[in-house]
Amino acid sequence: NTVDTTWVIDRGVHFLNDFFEVGTDISGVAVDYCLAWFAENVTSPIWSMEMTFDGGRKCFFDISAETGVILRCMIFSNGTSFADLFPDSFLQGESDALGPIFRELIRERFCQAYQSSMSHYEGIKVSVWPTEEQGAINITMTDNGTEHLTVPLYIEPIEGIWFNYP
């Protein structure tokens, strides 16, 4: 009995395509179904996915099995600069892959891509924007009520990007 994981893979691929300024060459994907454990023995089913792309870079996603929301994401650069994934931002950032302007532009792109990934929920308005300080983003969801979260987002252009990893 094979489980169709196409939608999980599509979710990750669409997010990366929205996030990066250039296309990626995905060379491998592994998907596992598991339970995430929270306080007071609360569990939630998630899909955990690993993607290999562009010559050895890695991306890891945890995606809610119930809603399809990207709960966590890590992107590892494999020791190379992210400048080739964000060529326009690299030039706007004064061609400095470690500079604050380049990091801020990547953070803004992440917010746009994450907001776009949440736009398929009918009746729910989602806004995502950078916090004043580096190291986090704000997420607001409005349907019958409003929920506001501040979630960690760390960007180290030679090492990786970590979303919602404390």
Side-chain angles (χ1 to χ4, degrees):
N1 198 7
T2 305
V3 175
D4 183 10
T5 58
T6 304
W7 74 270
V8 178
I9 295 167
D10 287 348
R11 176 80 47 170
V13 169
H14 287 307
F15 176 79
L16 292 180
N17 286 337
D18 285 347
F19 181 37
F20 300 144
E21 294 173 355
V22 296
T24 59
D25 179 28
I26 296 173
S27 57
V29 177
V31 180
D32 289 317
Y33 181 83
C34 54
L35 293 176
W37 293 86
F38 299 97
E40 300 178 19
N41 290 329
V42 174
T43 61
S44 179
I46 63 168
W47 290 99
S48 188
M49 177 171 51
E50 175 184 337
M51 291 182 153
T52 304
F53 66 97
D54 290 354
R57 290 178 171 148
K58 299 266 187 193
C59 181
F60 299 90
F61 289 104
D62 286 339
I63 299 174
S64 169
E66 295 172 334
T67 65
V69 170
I70 297 171
L71 302 171
R72 295 195 300 179
C73 174
M74 289 188 306
I75 302 170
F76 292 105
S77 65
N78 197 22
T80 60
S81 169
F82 282 132
D84 61 327
L85 296 174
F86 304 97
D88 295 337
S89 295
F90 181 67
L91 291 175
Q92 288 178 37
E94 301 171 0
S95 300
D96 182 1
L98 297 175
I101 296 171
F102 183 59
R103 288 176 196 229
E104 185 60 28
L105 292 169
I106 291 174
R107 199 162 66 120
E108 288 173 11
R109 284 197 63 86
F110 188 94
C111 290
Q112 292 167 358
Y114 195 76
Q115 183 169 320
S116 177
S117 79
M118 302 278 283
S119 67
H120 67 278
Y121 297 108
E122 291 183 28
I124 298 177
K125 182 177 183 257
V126 178
S127 298
V128 183
W129 69 97
T131 58
E132 299 253 341
E133 308 83 34
Q134 292 281 334
I137 61 174
N138 294 302
I139 303 170
T140 298
M141 295 170 278
T142 304
D143 55 1
N144 294 332
T146 298
E147 294 292 327
H148 176 77
L149 305 166
T150 299
V151 182
L153 175 64
Y154 299 103
I155 298 170
E156 293 296 333
I158 303 294
E159 297 172 31
I161 298 168
W162 295 265
F163 167 68
N164 203 17
Y165 278 87

